[in-house]
Amino acid sequence: MSNLKLLARSLGLSITTVSRALDGYSDVAPATRERVQAAAQAMNYRPNPAARSLRRRRAEAVAVTLPTEPGRFGPPIFLNMLAACGQRLAEDGLDLMLLPTAGRAGEMDTYRRLLDGRRADAVIVVRTRLDDERVGFLKERGIPFVTHGRTARSEEHAFIDGDGEAGFRDAARQLAASGHQRIAHIAAPQDLTFAHLRRKGWLAALDEAGSPDRLEYTAQPTEAGGYEATQWLLRQDTPPTALLCATDSMAIGALSALKERGFTAGREIAVIGHDNLPSAAFTDPPLSSMEIAAPDVGRQLAEMLIARLGGRDGRELQTILPVRQVPRATHGPAN
C-alpha cells in the first residue's frame, strides 16, 4: 500500500482529498488542510514530485539557456546572478534549469523541446538581442518569461537591465576629462542589445567632447576577442590612448595584448571593462570596470518572474538599474 493511501486511511479521508490538501487547493477546508499536513509531517510523508507536477500540470521549473564557449559554460557574469535567482525561486518551490546551447538555431530547438514537452513553466532570457526571436516565440506560446536585458520592443515584455549606455557615456567622459583624446571602443557584436547600448554611450561622450575619432573594433565578447581587437588597434597609424571594452572578459584579453606589446595598462594606455568580474580585481594591474549598482539582481529577476507566473502584466515589470564605475589601476590619465 502506498504512503498516500496509508495517510488517507489514517485520517479517514479520500486519497483525492488528502492529495489536494497537500497541494494547497482552496476547495479543501483550511482545518482539513492543516490536519492533513500535520499528519503527513508526523508520518514523514513527502509527495512524489513527478506525480505532483502531473496533477498540477506544471513542471515546477524555470528554464534559462546559456551560450557555450569552448571549455566554458556560459558567460561568467551570469553564473553568480543565476545562483541568487535559483535560491529565490526555490523558496517558491521552483527549480532553475540551466541549459547549455550552441548557436541560435540550437537554442531555438531547445526552446521548442522545453515547451512542447511541458518541461518548464517559465523562461528567463539572457544576453538579449535587439531583434530577439526567442521573445517573439515565447509571446506566441503564451509562456511567462522575463529578460535580462532589453530588446527593440522592450515596452512589450518584462525585463531587468543595467543602464549600460549611461555607464559607458560616464566612463568615456571621465577618460576625456583626464586628457584622453583617442578613446577607442572594443565592441561586442551589435545585434546584442547590451553591446549596442554601450557603444551608443561611448559615441555620445565623444560627440560631447567634440572628438572626431571613431576608432573601434568589433569582436566576440571573450578574452580572445579583446586580445584580437587590441592587437588591431595598436597597429593603427595613430593608436588609442584608452580602451573602453564592452565586457571585462574583452578587457582582460586587452591587458594581455598590451603586456605582450610592452605597454603598461593605466600608464601608457587606460583600459576599462564592464561587469566587475571577481577576477578583475586580480589582473596585473587590477582592471578598472563598472557594474550594475544593485547587489541582488538575481533575486529581483526571480521576484519578477514569480509575479509573471502569478498573472502580472509584463509591461508593469520593467526595471533599468544604474551602473556605477569601479576605478582601479588601469584607469590612468593620458600622458
Side-chain angles (χ1 to χ4, degrees):
M1 185 178 293
S2 71
N3 288 338
L4 183 61
K5 288 182 179 178
L6 286 172
L7 180 59
R9 177 175 291 182
S10 70
L11 291 165
L13 298 171
S14 69
I15 291 174
T16 300
T17 298
V18 170
S19 176
R20 294 182 72 79
L22 291 171
D23 285 345
Y25 282 94
S26 60
D27 59 353
V28 179
T32 301
R33 286 204 305 271
E34 291 176 11
R35 187 161 70 94
V36 170
Q37 289 164 1
Q41 186 173 4
M43 288 180 58
N44 198 29
Y45 171 75
R46 296 288 183 272
N48 180 290
R52 195 174 193 180
S53 294
L54 285 171
R55 289 195 303 271
R56 290 182 169 187
R57 295 185 179 274
R58 288 182 57 187
E60 298 183 343
V62 173
V64 57
T65 59
L66 285 177
T68 55
E69 300 165 8
R72 180 183 298 176
F73 179 58
I77 183 61
F78 293 123
L79 300 183
N80 289 339
M81 178 193 74
L82 290 173
C85 180
Q87 290 170 1
R88 175 62 188 91
L89 291 172
E91 294 172 12
D92 273 45
L94 295 165
D95 295 322
L96 182 64
M97 293 192 297
L98 304 185
L99 303 168
T101 59
R104 295 172 71 158
E107 187 172 29
M108 291 306 299
D109 287 343
T110 298
Y111 270 50
R112 291 185 186 95
R113 288 197 305 272
L114 280 172
L115 302 190
D116 290 345
R118 296 185 178 180
R119 293 166 52 199
D121 302 309
V123 174
I124 297 171
V125 180
V126 300
R127 189 154 276 186
T128 51
R129 307 177 189 104
L130 287 169
D131 182 16
D132 204 310
E133 62 267 37
R134 298 169 297 178
V135 169
F137 177 75
L138 292 169
K139 287 179 66 177
E140 180 183 322
R141 289 293 189 96
I143 300 297
F145 71 94
V146 299
T147 67
H148 182 270
R150 283 165 278 173
T151 68
R153 302 178 67 175
S154 294
E155 70 281 357
E156 298 179 0
H157 61 82
F159 69 83
I160 188 167
D161 198 6
D163 195 348
E165 181 177 350
F168 272 63
R169 184 177 62 244
D170 291 344
R173 281 173 174 169
Q174 291 177 22
L175 289 168
S178 63
H180 290 280
Q181 296 182 346
R182 295 186 303 282
I183 305 168
H185 180 44
I186 298 181
Q190 291 298 292
D191 62 321
L192 297 170
T193 308
F194 82 86
H196 170 78
L197 292 173
R198 292 172 192 180
R199 180 178 182 272
K200 190 175 177 182
W202 166 71
L203 287 172
L206 294 188
D207 287 342
E208 290 175 9
S211 173
D213 291 333
R214 295 292 186 274
L215 191 57
E216 62 180 308
Y217 188 97
T218 300
Q220 290 302 307
T222 62
E223 293 87 350
Y227 177 89
E228 169 194 313
T230 304
Q231 291 284 14
W232 183 86
L233 290 166
L234 293 176
R235 289 196 298 267
Q236 303 312 297
D237 293 337
T238 307
T241 62
L243 301 174
L244 191 52
C245 305
T247 70
D248 275 358
S249 295
M250 301 179 91
I252 289 169
L255 293 181
S256 179
L258 290 174
K259 188 173 183 179
E260 188 177 289
R261 296 286 294 271
F263 292 98
T264 300
R267 191 173 299 167
E268 289 96 353
I269 298 178
V271 180
I272 302 174
H274 184 294
D275 295 336
N276 195 25
L277 296 178
S279 58
F282 300 98
T283 57
D284 182 22
L287 175 66
S288 297
S289 187
M290 60 189 96
E291 65 179 356
I292 295 176
D296 58 350
V297 175
R299 192 170 183 87
Q300 288 188 52
L301 193 63
E303 296 278 6
M304 191 175 285
L305 192 64
I306 290 166
R308 286 288 293 122
L309 282 164
R312 283 282 300 279
D313 190 327
R315 292 170 295 183
E316 300 173 0
L317 300 166
Q318 300 176 345
T319 302
I320 299 176
L321 298 167
V323 167
R324 71 180 184 95
Q325 303 295 319
V326 185
R328 295 192 181 98
T330 63
H331 210 110
N335 290 330

